[in-house]
Amino acid sequence: MNATPDAPADSLADSPVLLRREGRAGHIVLNRPRAINALNHPMVRIMADALDAWERDDSVATVVLTGAGERGLCAGGDIRSIHDDVRAGRVAASAAFWHDEYLLNARIARFPKPYVAVMDGIVMGGGVGVSAHGSVRVVTERSRVAMPETGIGFVPDVGGTYLLTRTPGELGTHLALTGTPVGAGDALLCGLADHFVPSERLPEFTGALAGTDAADAVREFAGEAPAGELAAHREWIDRCYAADSVEEIVDRLHASGDRHAKEAAETILAKSPTSLKVTLAALRRARALPTLEAVLEQEYRVSCAALASPDLPEGIRAQVVDKDRRPRWSPSELSGVTEAEVARFFEPTGTGSLGLV
């Protein structure tokens, strides 16, 4: 079912995205709670259509994004469908999904009205893309924000490499390679969120947006976030992750003498070697790109190239389909990933471009 901003609420109950108006606020509710609201192509289209309509509607002052259920805003893209597309040779379908998803990410970042993203609970991958580019990004004590792509044979996308290269020091490199989730305090430190609102006050906060400007609502309901963990580890993170290769990063982590650094090294070594090397290259390249749009164009090339890599379907199989948590990466070691193979991910593909730059 296609959801439209003007449709009656009861007609949208089965839609994967619910749209409603409360006063001067337009609400977008991701509505696949059993899948922690994982994004699929119809959801991206519904969101894009709603933003088109509400941008033109002078009676809508604010857009509010939330997720149905108790587990989180959004656990990412529907990667099981990507696995099925690759196995069936339907890679064009996944490329088309990413094309529209990344355009939506760019649209959210440039949306001219306040876009309030309530990043409560699990917010990962594609969930970061539809929230962390918004103008008002709210986390709670339950927030767990991550870009875990290297664990499924993929590379951070949805503008993730843009966000992660704008963090203090090398925090973004650490988060990208390890896929480590962060809580509210660290999300604020890394620039992935703007404000902390206790989860018990979210109904009041979102309700107030019906008649209150977003900035005023934030001032009324925001408070001090629980302390994060990353600031205490900046010394070894910045020193180790400044290395020019994944191999050297791992060596520095092991040699640092810090228990947390060694744990990070072991976490990295469990990820896809190809994904790790491509991710580091993508981050370094993204630092030199001037805009989110330019980074999204790069990510689109990388994502489409990943469809031809054996690690993407294998990683999804191990984590989501069979759930044995024992991916068989190919190659299985960092030393087996050549510079030529990494470079292949950044070459233009037959899927074209997003047309953003």
Side-chain angles (χ1 to χ4, degrees), residues 152-235:
I152 59 165
F154 196 43
V155 178
D157 65 334
V158 297
T161 59
Y162 178 86
L163 295 167
L164 293 172
T165 53
R166 272 68 181 176
T167 61
E170 294 289 342
L171 292 178
T173 309
H174 170 65
L175 298 181
L177 295 184
T178 63
T180 300
V182 297
D186 286 328
L188 293 167
L189 171 65
C190 292
L192 300 174
D194 306 302
H195 310 284
F196 172 81
V197 174
S199 60
E200 64 183 13
R201 301 204 72 190
L202 287 179
E204 294 177 85
F205 169 68
T206 57
L209 294 168
T212 304
D213 289 341
D216 292 335
V218 165
R219 279 191 288 271
E220 180 177 355
F221 292 96
E224 184 175 352
E229 301 175 5
L230 290 177
H233 302 299
R234 279 289 304 277
E235 190 280 327

Side-chain angles (χ1 to χ4, degrees), residues 32-39 71 74-76:
R32 297 182 66 209
R34 293 179 62 184
I36 319 182
N37 304 312
L39 290 174
R71 299 168 69 190
C74 176

Side-chain angles (χ1 to χ4, degrees), residues 1-3 15-17 19 41-51:
M1 176 187 294
N2 289 327
S15 172
V17 178
L19 304 173
H41 207 162
M43 294 170 75
V44 166
R45 291 182 176 130
I46 292 169
M47 290 184 67
D49 288 346
L51 292 182

Side-chain angles (χ1 to χ4, degrees), residues 141-155:
E141 75 283 357
R142 303 187 299 203
S143 296
R144 301 297 289 167
V145 184
M147 296 297 293
E149 287 77 10
T150 56
I152 59 165
F154 196 43
V155 178

Side-chain angles (χ1 to χ4, degrees), residues 2 4 8 13 26-28 52 69 104 112 195 212 214 216 251 279 284 291 336:
N2 289 327
T4 61
H27 287 256
I28 298 174
D52 284 344
L104 176 63
H195 310 284
T212 304
D216 292 335
D251 288 345
T279 293
R284 299 299 190 246
T291 63

